[in-house]
Amino acid sequence: DIVLGRDRGALAGRVTVEGGGDAGGVSVTVSDGATTLQTVTRSTDPVGAWDVDGLAVPGTYTLTFERTDLAQQVLSVSLDAFGQVTAGAPSADRVDVAMRSATAVLHGRVTQTLGDGSPAQNAPNVIVTLTSGTAEWRVTTASTPRRDAGLFRIEKIPPGTYTLSFARAGTRATSQIVVLTAGQVLRED
């Protein structure tokens, strides 16, 4: 008896974004070094689904998932002569990836003490500056509504080391160093 294997294999899966969000429009590149195939994840139901067929078997493939606002994800999947996954994923149709944001978010609340022993109070209209030497973000803390006074938020910050400064007329400015990583949401009060 002879058992024949498949002449071609296929891979498929779903891309999600950590913390929720749209996973449509992610570029998927599948390569074994000799052949490279590309597709894009669906932006309609089922959002984030992708598939590639016509893969030579047996073979080991490098899969690269990319979208400008998400951190690149790379994984390796091996297929046997029957198109079954031997390493890298649970099965050929479940090569799923959870991607994370390529940028960080920095937020917090600025408070001020009067120096008379009274408790700290929310500080509206403080200029918050985040700088890396080559890039700078500047926001002002909220003044209204009252419950949001002193709040600030800076989004879409590339990973790196930054100086975070707080300044307002009539007060002493203060600074600190913050290190941000891709996908991080950092609270600095």
Side-chain angles (χ1 to χ4, degrees):
D1 293 336
I2 296 174
V3 177
L4 298 176
R6 299 176 61 184
D7 66 338
R8 295 285 171 198
L11 293 173
R14 193 132 188 206
V15 177
T16 57
V17 177
E18 289 179 359
D22 180 18
V26 174
S27 172
V28 182
T29 305
V30 180
S31 178
D32 65 356
T35 303
T36 300
L37 300 171
Q38 288 188 310
T39 189
V40 176
T41 60
R42 292 180 58 145
S43 56
T44 59
D45 196 36
V47 175
W50 66 274
D51 63 86
V52 172
D53 58 10
L55 302 173
V57 290
T60 299
Y61 292 90
T62 300
L63 286 74
T64 306
F65 299 85
E66 297 178 288
R67 194 170 82 181
T68 56
D69 63 326
L70 300 172
Q72 181 187 67
Q73 190 113 346
V74 179
L75 59 110
S76 177
V77 177
S78 296
L79 297 174
D80 65 14
F82 297 95
Q84 302 298 313
V85 171
T86 59
S91 67
D93 62 347
R94 289 192 45 221
V95 185
D96 299 333
V97 176
M99 299 182 76
R100 63 183 177 153
S101 175
T103 60
V105 173
L106 178 65
H107 67 104
R109 182 181 300 271
V110 179
T111 58
Q112 178 179 357
T113 58
L114 300 175
D116 61 1
S118 61
Q121 302 211 354
N122 295 337
N125 301 315
V126 174
I127 298 172
V128 180
T129 306
L130 183 69
T131 183
S132 68
T134 58
E136 181 177 285
W137 292 262
R138 187 176 296 227
V139 297
T140 303
T141 60
S143 58
T144 60
R146 185 177 207 138
R147 71 179 179 279
D148 291 343
L151 292 178
F152 71 94
R153 183 176 183 91
I154 304 170
E155 298 183 352
K156 298 183 180 178
I157 308 164
T161 303
Y162 295 89
T163 300
L164 177 62
S165 303
F166 304 91
R168 185 171 72 176
T171 64
R172 181 173 36 104
T174 180
S175 297
Q176 63 191 56
I177 301 296
V178 294
V179 178
L180 298 169
T181 59
Q184 182 179 22
V185 177
L186 179 64
R187 181 171 182 129
E188 282 293 329
D189 290 336

